Amino acid sequence: MMKSGADPKRVRLFRNDLLEQFTLISPIAFALTWTVFLAVALWASWGVTNVFAWVGLVFAGLLIWSLFEYAMHRFLFHMKLESRFGRALIFLTHGNHHTVPNDRMRNLMPPVVSVTISLGVWALLYAMFGPAGSVVFLGFGIGYVSYDCVHYACHQLPMRGPILRQLRRHHLRHHHAREEGNYAITAIFWDWVFGTEVPAKRR
């Protein structure tokens, strides 16, 4: 892993330029990708059940995402691996973000990762619940997009308003106070539930 000579503010992850491009995503490309993806999910889930059950399943998907978000960040992105390969893998998936947290091209998950994982989750939910699984996945997908938008905003935008400021403070404490805590980005109550909240001042 080495810093790019072209952009001193970015950590270069691959020597190969094509592979390197797959690690980057602009906000416009993110918006286009996920507008299409969620539109397909909405089409696949529409009319599967009555409107009340449909809304309930979407909210179930949002809840599943919120737990997935917390667990992914805590147990995967901050996994402690001792081997050289393991450390390189963690740096590739998340460590580089802590090295250069305000790289606007890496504050959003690249589609090669997010879309691939989402397709796997969709297939799993469909296998478990049949067509209703597409409704649950729609909620899951909306939760993911909300997560990445909030994460991008925490690093790139002023975040005005009490709720947005609270979300930003919560995440930036993870970066600048203690990395072993404040794992949730959107559903920050999970850090309270699981005792991983980073207080405003160290105790």
Side-chain angles (χ1 to χ4, degrees):
M1 312 298 176
M2 57 183 180
K3 288 195 174 183
S4 165
D7 186 350
K9 296 180 180 179
R10 175 168 299 140
V11 173
R12 188 176 180 95
L13 301 178
F14 294 101
R15 289 187 175 88
N16 182 279
D17 289 339
L18 180 60
L19 289 177
E20 183 71 6
Q21 285 302 311
F22 279 122
T23 71
L24 308 173
I25 180 72
S26 70
I28 292 175
F30 175 87
L32 290 173
T33 299
W34 282 94
T35 296
V36 171
F37 199 91
L38 289 181
V40 172
L42 177 61
W43 173 82
S45 67
W46 194 255
V48 165
T49 184
N50 68 71
V51 65
F52 297 106
W54 190 90
V55 170
L57 289 170
V58 169
F59 274 100
L62 285 166
L63 179 62
I64 291 169
W65 163 259
S66 71
L67 279 166
F68 184 89
E69 171 194 311
Y70 177 88
M72 175 181 64
H73 195 182
R74 179 178 180 179
F75 299 112
L76 179 60
F77 287 172
H78 285 274
M79 187 186 303
K80 303 299 182 184
L81 299 177
E82 298 302 323
S83 69
R84 182 178 178 182
F85 174 79
R87 292 197 303 270
L89 181 63
I90 294 302
F91 185 83
L92 177 66
T93 57
H94 189 64
N96 69 87
H97 173 56
H98 278 270
T99 301
V100 186
N102 295 324
D103 184 346
R104 65 185 297 273
M105 297 291 282
R106 288 206 176 109
N107 286 155
L108 298 163
M109 191 71 72
V112 69
V113 177
S114 60
V115 171
T116 301
I117 292 174
S118 293
L119 286 171
V121 171
W122 193 350
L124 177 63
L125 290 170
Y126 196 92
M128 293 173 64
F129 304 114
S134 293
V135 190
V136 178
F137 174 76
L138 178 63
F140 185 93
I142 292 170
Y144 163 70
V145 171
S146 300
Y147 149 81
D148 238 358
C149 289
V150 168
H151 183 249
Y152 182 89
C154 284
H155 288 283
Q156 302 296 336
L157 301 176
M159 300 284 277
R160 296 184 176 90
I163 295 175
L164 294 179
R165 284 200 302 267
Q166 174 64 15
L167 290 172
R168 186 173 190 271
R169 281 195 300 267
H170 186 85
H171 182 57
L172 293 187
R173 284 176 196 150
H174 170 74
H175 277 277
H176 303 296
R178 192 176 74 232
E179 291 183 11
E180 293 77 21
N182 280 19
Y183 298 108
I185 308 296
T186 53
I188 60 177
F189 57 82
W190 289 125
D191 282 300
W192 308 334
V193 171
F194 295 117
T196 53
E197 181 189 8
V198 177
K201 294 182 180 179
R202 293 189 178 184
R203 293 170 182 161

